[in-house]
DNA sequence: CTCACATGGATAGCAGCACTTTCTACTATC
DNA sequence: GATAGTAGAAAGTGCTGCTATCCATGTGAG
């Protein structure tokens, strides 16, 4: 069922010019040319297109980052954890540059405490050092103390991620699972975390308000204000 | 120790033109005018500036989103969980629009299963529905099954967040704790999660490679390739 | 006192990014 | 053989986050 670009656009929900743009940028493989100016696109293209949109819209990745990730995905030599590295690099915020000696040491101690391999040059590690540096800069030295809780929470998550990936039939599927698990996983985690936070803080506030009898306007605190 | 703009720039590491820009955009309160064209800035400004940079660089927030968050921070009426709502709205990816009926139902069922209050209009909920919709679009229907694990993991995190916030001395500090906890917390979580993932997948790969005796190039998989 | 230099405030400009529009062939089809 | 669709390239657009320039005013070292 190879189709032309207009149909590809319809199926994927992506405008034709944007598809052309993605083709130019190498996010989408060229269609099969049936003549110098006529090409056919397949389901692979539809799928790839959706993946790209997921990374761009949900993951907030730049086009360059998406290209990087897809490159890793398409590389037949790429191992699972190399692909993971590439993906987390793409998802991570661009290197802020400022790094603090103390933050470095805090990160090292944390990694050691967790019994992990110390990889100071990994993207994740750099990102963590950046976070710790910033935390110190804004005067939240105690932030570092929450790291171990994060690690404990992250462990089962990583296990699920991995199980999810390993349950894939083919290697291609597994690699895509890495992408989906990371991008969607991080987004879902942020959302769920916010929900739990609100749930807890709501209980607290309720208790507090019933004590203080404040003029609680009881509208849903979660309406959009845009 | 009020200082002039040049010194403020030095202390915060933010260029003078950028400070002026932030002043114009209302991210930074005006300095105390000692004359029509002479103002003094205090430590408050240094601190605020660092907070802004943290949100922009680490959190990836837009200037408009930062203004929104700071507005909530400065509002003396704002309750804790309202502030949280504002912050998670700012951190969340801009609404992608496409929503799927099934995803909606999955989210509702999830919330119910967790025993939470169903707030379909909250930003977090919308974000979650967006993620689930996307997951289905890219053919990862099973992604939804991982949600409960996320929730279990998120619970202790939220407790830590809350404890962190409540340990603050003043209300201002508490509100700032919300911001720091969310922005830095999400960034840290992503980093830690990536580290755990790599740790686990590394073990797996090692096992796999010793079986298959692959031509493992044994370089650190986590070097930058930029 | 005075004059180089800094400041505030405003406006304009710039670079990058993610598209979008416009153009020119050409082709397949009705 | 009109008509609609397509490829491919290039230029244009709109937005964002700064940056540069101006200039009238003020400050402070000598």
């Amino acid at each position: 069922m190879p189709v032309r670009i207009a149909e590809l656009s319809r199926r994927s929900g992506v405008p034709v010019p944007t598809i052309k743009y993605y083709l130019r940028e190498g996010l989408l493989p060229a269609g099969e040319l049936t003549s110098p100016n006529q090409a056919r696109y397949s389901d692979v293209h539809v799928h790839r297109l959706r993946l790209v949109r997921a990374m761009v819209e949900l993951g907030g990745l730049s086009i360059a980052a998406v290209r990087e990730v897809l490159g890793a995905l398409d590389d037949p030599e790429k191992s699972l954890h190399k692909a993971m590295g590439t993906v987390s690099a793409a998802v991570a915020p661009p290197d802020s540059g400022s790094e603090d000696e103390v933050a470095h040491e805090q990160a090292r101690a944390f990694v050691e405490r967790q019994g992990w391999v110390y990889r100071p040059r990994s993207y994740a590690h750099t990102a963590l050092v950046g976070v710790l540096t910033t935390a110190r800069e804004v005067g939240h030295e105690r932030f570092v103390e929450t790291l171990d809780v994060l690690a404990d929470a992250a462990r089962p998550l990583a296990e699920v991620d991995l199980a999810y990936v390993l349950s894939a039939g083919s290697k291609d599927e597994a690699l895509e699972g890495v992408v989906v698990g990371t991008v969607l996983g991080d987004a879902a985690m942020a959302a769920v975390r916010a929900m739990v936070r609100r749930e807890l803080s709501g209980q607290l506030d309720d208790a507090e308000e019933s004590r203080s009898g404040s003029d609680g306007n009881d509208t849903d605190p979660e309406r959009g204000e845009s």
Side-chain angles (χ1 to χ4, degrees), chain A:
Chain A
M1 43 187 61
V3 297
R4 300 192 293 184
I5 201 170
E7 177 67 11
L8 176 60
S9 168
R10 261 197 349 87
R11 291 197 191 176
S12 62
V14 179
V16 172
T18 305
I19 296 177
K20 287 189 173 190
Y21 170 62
Y22 289 168
L23 284 166
R24 272 202 307 285
E25 295 298 320
L27 307 190
L28 204 58
E32 183 199 353
L33 278 179
T34 62
S35 75
N37 62 336
Q38 203 74 189
R40 295 281 136 102
Y41 303 92
S42 68
D43 289 339
V44 175
H45 292 93
V46 179
H47 187 251
R48 176 54 64 94
L49 224 28
R50 295 213 175 112
L51 195 61
V52 169
R53 297 306 287 184
M55 286 193 267
V56 168
E57 287 178 0
L58 264 177
L61 303 210
S62 69
I63 263 63
V66 171
R67 183 171 37 229
E68 201 73 30
V69 170
L70 292 178
L73 243 173
D74 292 336
D75 180 353
E77 298 298 314
K78 209 93 178 187
S79 74
L80 221 53
H81 74 270
K82 274 187 194 174
M84 283 181 177
T86 307
V87 176
S88 15
V91 171
D95 212 346
S96 65
S98 76
E99 287 188 6
D100 171 324
E101 197 49 48
V102 179
H104 245 279
E105 175 53 25
Q106 288 175 332
R108 202 199 52 70
F110 166 64
V111 168
E112 198 152 286
R113 207 156 58 229
Q114 294 293 326
W116 298 337
V117 181
Y118 180 50
R119 296 179 206 269
R121 305 192 50 193
S122 76
Y123 288 108
H125 195 94
T126 308
L128 182 61
V129 171
V131 172
L132 291 176
T133 302
T134 304
R136 288 172 40 75
E137 279 174 358
V138 291
H140 283 253
E141 269 102 32
R142 294 190 40 226
F143 181 81
V144 67
E145 295 166 20
T146 66
L147 281 189
D148 294 292
V149 179
L150 294 193
D152 289 343
R155 222 178 300 268
L157 292 186
E159 278 160 16
V160 167
D161 283 354
L162 222 53
Y164 186 75
V165 166
L166 293 179
S167 73
S170 67
K171 183 166 186 182
D172 281 356
E173 273 179 47
L175 285 172
E176 192 187 296
V178 173
V179 175
V180 171
T182 306
V183 174
L184 269 60
D186 279 1
M189 187 62 198
V192 169
R193 196 179 180 186
M195 291 170 92
V196 177
R197 224 171 347 217
R198 177 146 326 99
E199 199 64 27
L200 288 187
S201 81
Q203 290 167 10
L204 260 175
D205 266 32
D206 289 350
E208 189 183 300
E209 270 165 30
S210 64
R211 256 205 330 274
S212 68
S214 90
D215 66 327
N217 74 25
D218 51 4
T219 55
D220 188 333
E222 269 300 322
R223 267 183 341 235
E225 50 200 50
S226 62

